[in-house]
């Protein structure tokens, strides 16, 4: 997706398919699979980073939580991520130690388009999120392929305003900063900048070129130059500008973190002499395509970078949130000290809190925007969803998962099992999926007459001989990228589907879309589909 934007910006590049690491590959076995500690488990057996002994093992947020933007607010830390085609969007997370995070809720009730990397800021006691909305098929009112808006609130828990158009087109990845002149600025990809009004709700001047990101040697293997994700902060006598270059996906060694500094927000900007600050050097490393960092002072004064990366062999999980310590050098630069992140690191000093959330749902309370998200739909489409009294009701549309109503949730375990009971009304079809996007998914669906097997984003040739039913139980297991379907008429006696699937290819490098393979429910046709008792558990 970002490469499509890069193309529009005149940046060339191509994604390369990533090969999953073989389980028995002697050159690569994550520390948790060798003789080091494994991840601890939390709710529903989900893996968690905090090892409980003063150390942590990345990722701190497992699953597709890319482009992290982190705000330090006293002893509290808040974080959100690119939410792309999810509605509601921009789930806010809270932490006291940068390792254990709990969800607060979504900040963006009605996305106006596809949400790319944002920036959180606090100014004069008020909170702001600067958002690039990309033009989507359903967002016909947006004038440009990329459009910068802002929302604001008195608290990170809201209530958040409706999006306000800053009327900046064609740029992505805004980064907020207050200069030594007291003025507020947004920096963007490709070295651009604009001054904001004092209230931060409008621009106060033209877009201009402000800096040139560091350029790596031409013979390095990357996806594209693609300078993006500027994050700025002030420490001592300097402003620091941290960029991502090298492309977002593609080759393992592409994405990287680079830095520059200046005594003035107006430059000149001096590139760090030991750029890149961090980069994946080999396909054998545990984390690929590491980049898009926010630098933040952690508890006790230790500094960290929070960024994203792909887990080697598990690109299907998307870009996961990673935390790495940094150290300040006598000459005023900073270095990464976490190595390849395959080994445990010393946990920040802050107080721990319960981490994560349950992925199972009895549908007695509305968890839309926190657990569930509507995929690729206009804001008004949320009216198709009703949750309560132990049922999720989806008002159907379209002919199948590619154009129907699809509700997804993020997961971050290498192996897991999901199940649900569903019931059809009228001329509908519905089912349980593992969904990447409207072009790539797999799963099961019923229409009251037969079962349809979905594979590779289309109906499979395989006619599963399931009995005709309007009420059925479905289960999907994903065991280290091998997916098996099951179905049952009573929820007790299960039949294993006749076909299994291997899904390592369901990733961003296959279809050029920066998402993840995640559990989903869908409804198509005319009428409604009722879902009950969705369950999730991580598998050993």
């Amino acid at each position: 997706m970002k490469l499509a934007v890069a193309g529009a910006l005149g940046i060339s590049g191509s994604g390369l398919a990533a090969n999953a690491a073989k389980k028995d590959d002697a050159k690569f076995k994550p520390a948790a699979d060798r003789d080091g500690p494994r991840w601890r488990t939390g709710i529903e057996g989900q893996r968690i980073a905090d090892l409980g002994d003063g150390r942590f093992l990345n990722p701190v947020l497992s699953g597709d939580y890319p482009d992290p933007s982190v705000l330090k607010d006293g002893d509290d830390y808040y974080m959100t991520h690119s939410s792309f085609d999810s509605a509601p969007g921009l789930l806010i997370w809270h932490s006291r130690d940068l390792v254990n995070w709990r969800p607060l809720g979504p900040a963006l009730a009605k996305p106006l388009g596809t949400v790319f990397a944002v920036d959180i800021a606090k100014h004069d006691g008020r909170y702001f999120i600067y958002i690039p909305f990309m033009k989507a098929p359903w967002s016909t009112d947006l004038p440009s392929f990329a459009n910068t808006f802002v929302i604001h609130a008195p608290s990170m828990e809201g209530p958040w305003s409706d999006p306000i158009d800053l009327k900046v087109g064609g740029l992505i990845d805004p980064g907020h900063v207050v200069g030594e002149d007291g003025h507020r600025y947004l920096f963007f990809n490709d070295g651009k900048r604009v001054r904001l009004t004092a209230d931060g709700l409008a621009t106060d001047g033209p877009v201009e070129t402000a800096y040139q990101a560091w350029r790596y040697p031409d013979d390095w293997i990357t996806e594209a130059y693609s300078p993006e994700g500027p994050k700025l902060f002030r420490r001592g006598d300097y402003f620091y500008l941290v960029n991502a270059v090298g492309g977002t996906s593609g080759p393992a060694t592409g994405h990287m973190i680079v830095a520059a500094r200046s005594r003035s927000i107006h430059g000149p900007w001096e590139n760090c002499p030991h750029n890149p600050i961090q980069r994946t050097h080999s396909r054998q490393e545990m984390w690929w395509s590491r980049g898009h960092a926010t630098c933040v002072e952690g508890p006790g004064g230790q500094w960290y970078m929070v960024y994203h990366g792909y887990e080697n062999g598990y690109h299907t999980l998307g870009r996961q949130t990673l935390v790495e310590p940094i150290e300040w050098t006598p000459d005023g630069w900073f270095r990464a000290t976490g190595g390849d992140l395959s080994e445990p690191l010393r946990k920040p000093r802050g107080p721990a809190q319960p981490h994560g959330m349950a992925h199972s749902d009895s549908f007695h309370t509305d968890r839309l925007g926190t657990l569930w998200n509507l995929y690729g739909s206009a804001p008004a489409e949320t009216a198709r969803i009703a949750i309560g009294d132990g049922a999720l009701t989806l008002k159907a549309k379209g002919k199948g998962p590619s154009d129907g109503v699809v509700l997804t949730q993020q997961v971050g375990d290498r192996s897991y099992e999901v199940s649900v009971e569903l019931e059809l009304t009228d001329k509908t079809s519905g089912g349980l999926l593992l969904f990447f996007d409207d072009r790539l998914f797999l799963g099961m669906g019923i229409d009251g007459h037969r079962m349809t097997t979905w594979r590779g984003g289309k109906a499979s040739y395989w006619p599963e001989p399931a009995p005709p039913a309007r009420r059925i139980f479905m289960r999907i297991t994903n065991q280290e990228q091998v997916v098996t379907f099951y179905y049952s008429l009573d929820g007790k006696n299960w039949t294993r589907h006749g076909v299994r699937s291997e899904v390592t290819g369901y990733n961003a490098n296959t279809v050029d879309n920066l998402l993840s393979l995640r559990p989903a429910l869908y409804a198509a046709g005319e009428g409604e589909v009722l879902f009950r008792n969705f369950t999730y558990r991580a598998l050993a």
Side-chain angles (χ1 to χ4, degrees):
M1 189 178 293
K2 273 199 176 180
L3 259 291
V5 175
L9 295 173
I11 302 167
S12 64
S14 62
L16 300 179
N19 294 320
K22 295 180 180 179
K23 189 176 180 181
D24 60 351
D25 186 350
K27 295 182 179 179
F28 168 72
K29 285 190 178 180
D33 290 342
R34 296 198 305 263
D35 53 1
R38 296 180 179 274
W39 288 282
R40 288 178 68 214
T41 57
I43 302 167
E44 300 163 334
Q46 299 173 39
R47 62 175 174 170
I48 57 177
D50 191 339
L51 298 179
D53 60 0
R55 301 178 302 160
F56 74 99
L57 181 62
N58 278 295
V60 296
L61 271 187
S62 56
D64 195 25
Y65 294 103
D67 304 322
S69 177
V70 183
L71 173 68
K72 175 178 169 58
D73 186 21
D75 293 332
D76 297 295
Y77 298 89
Y78 299 98
M79 177 167 62
T80 193
H81 307 79
S82 295
S83 52
F84 296 111
D85 294 304
S86 294
L90 295 182
L91 177 59
I92 303 295
W93 295 82
H94 170 260
S95 178
R96 301 295 297 276
D97 64 358
L98 294 175
V99 171
N100 295 284
W101 295 87
R102 64 182 181 92
L104 297 182
L108 188 62
K110 297 179 179 180
L112 304 181
T114 301
V115 177
F116 269 28
V118 305
D119 198 28
I120 308 174
K122 183 181 182 182
H123 189 73
D124 287 342
R126 196 156 187 87
Y127 298 85
F128 301 81
I129 304 180
Y130 291 92
I131 310 167
F133 287 115
M134 313 305 293
K135 197 173 185 68
W138 45 268
S139 56
T140 55
D141 292 337
L142 293 177
S144 174
F145 78 95
N147 310 266
T148 302
F149 283 67
V150 61
I151 59 176
H152 59 95
S155 162
M156 284 300 291
E157 298 189 48
W160 290 92
S161 72
D162 290 333
I164 299 168
D165 189 358
L166 295 180
K167 302 186 185 305
V168 174
L171 297 171
I172 60 173
D173 298 4
H176 178 273
V177 67
V178 178
E180 79 279 7
D181 56 9
H183 291 294
R184 302 171 68 176
Y185 297 87
L186 285 185
F187 282 64
F188 297 91
N189 68 302
D190 208 26
K192 304 301 183 184
R193 185 189 76 174
V194 69
R195 195 168 84 176
L196 298 175
T197 55
D199 63 7
L201 304 181
T203 59
D204 188 24
V207 174
E208 57 190 352
T209 299
Y211 70 99
Q212 173 68 49
W214 179 80
R215 185 129 197 173
Y216 48 83
D218 191 57
D219 60 350
W220 286 16
I221 303 301
T222 69
E223 185 182 36
Y225 175 47
S226 212
E228 58 192 18
K231 299 293 183 185
L232 295 100
F233 63 97
R234 193 174 189 178
R235 183 179 185 272
D237 295 331
Y238 288 98
F239 291 92
Y240 293 85
L241 195 165
V242 181
N243 261 106
V245 295
T248 302
S249 200
T253 56
H255 209 28
M256 67 191 81
I257 301 164
V258 301
R261 71 182 184 187
S262 173
R263 294 183 182 274
S264 169
I265 200 64
H266 304 293
W269 293 93
E270 171 193 7
N271 287 317
C272 179
H274 54 262
N275 275 334
I277 303 296
Q278 187 55 277
R279 180 195 181 204
T280 302
H281 294 278
S282 165
R283 296 170 54 87
Q284 309 308 323
E285 292 183 31
M286 182 172 176
W287 294 100
W288 289 14
S289 302
R290 292 191 277 169
H292 204 105
T294 297
C295 290
V296 61
E297 183 181 0
Q302 169 68 53
W303 280 73
Y304 296 86
M305 294 190 298
V306 185
Y307 57 91
H308 64 222
Y310 284 107
E311 189 171 355
N312 193 341
Y314 291 89
H315 272 52
T316 53
L317 291 175
R319 293 169 296 163
Q320 306 183 56
T321 301
L322 312 172
V323 168
E324 177 172 7
I326 58 177
E327 64 178 11
W328 291 94
T329 57
D331 58 359
W333 292 104
F334 61 93
R335 291 183 180 271
T337 62
D340 65 3
L341 302 190
S342 66
E343 301 290 343
L345 300 169
R346 184 179 299 278
K347 194 178 88 65
R349 297 179 186 177
Q353 64 184 14
H355 175 81
M357 60 180 163
H359 288 276
S360 299
D361 198 350
S362 63
F363 301 120
H364 285 287
T365 59
D366 188 345
R367 301 176 68 192
L368 190 63
T370 302
L371 177 63
W372 298 100
N373 298 95
L374 190 64
Y375 169 78
S377 300
E381 292 286 273
T382 55
R384 294 183 176 274
I385 303 170
I387 300 173
D389 297 326
L392 162 70
T393 303
L394 297 183
K395 185 177 181 181
K397 69 171 184 177
K399 298 180 180 179
S402 61
D403 62 355
V405 179
V406 178
L407 206 61
T408 72
Q409 62 163 268
Q410 300 290 355
V411 296
D413 294 298
R414 291 176 169 187
S415 300
Y416 57 86
E417 174 185 280
V418 292
S419 63
V420 74
E421 175 191 354
L422 68 90
E423 183 177 354
L424 307 177
T425 68
D426 301 322
K427 297 179 181 179
T428 54
S429 63
L432 178 65
L433 306 168
L434 296 185
F435 187 87
F436 189 87
D437 66 8
D438 55 359
R439 297 173 293 165
L440 190 59
F441 49 84
L442 72 161
M444 297 168 283
I446 60 168
D447 61 6
H449 303 287
R450 64 186 62 85
M451 175 173 283
T452 298
T453 301
W454 301 102
R455 300 177 80 199
K458 58 181 176 37
S460 170
Y461 297 110
W462 172 256
E464 178 64 28
R470 301 189 65 80
R471 176 177 173 270
I472 200 168
F473 297 79
M474 295 181 176
R475 176 188 296 164
I476 296 178
T477 64
N478 182 352
Q479 184 74 52
E480 295 184 343
Q481 316 275 24
V482 175
V483 171
T484 307
F485 305 152
Y486 301 85
Y487 52 91
S488 170
L489 295 179
D490 59 8
K492 299 177 182 178
N493 300 292
W494 292 88
T495 298
R496 193 184 74 200
H497 200 286
V499 173
R500 284 191 174 97
S501 301
E502 207 282 343
V503 296
T504 52
Y506 286 64
N507 67 60
N509 286 327
T510 301
V511 291
D512 193 26
N513 199 355
L514 296 172
L515 298 174
S516 64
L517 188 64
R518 55 213 188 274
L521 309 172
Y522 84 92
E526 301 174 2
E528 297 176 337
V529 181
L530 279 67
F531 297 89
R532 299 181 179 91
N533 193 31
F534 180 90
T535 62
Y536 175 92
R537 68 182 180 98
L539 303 176

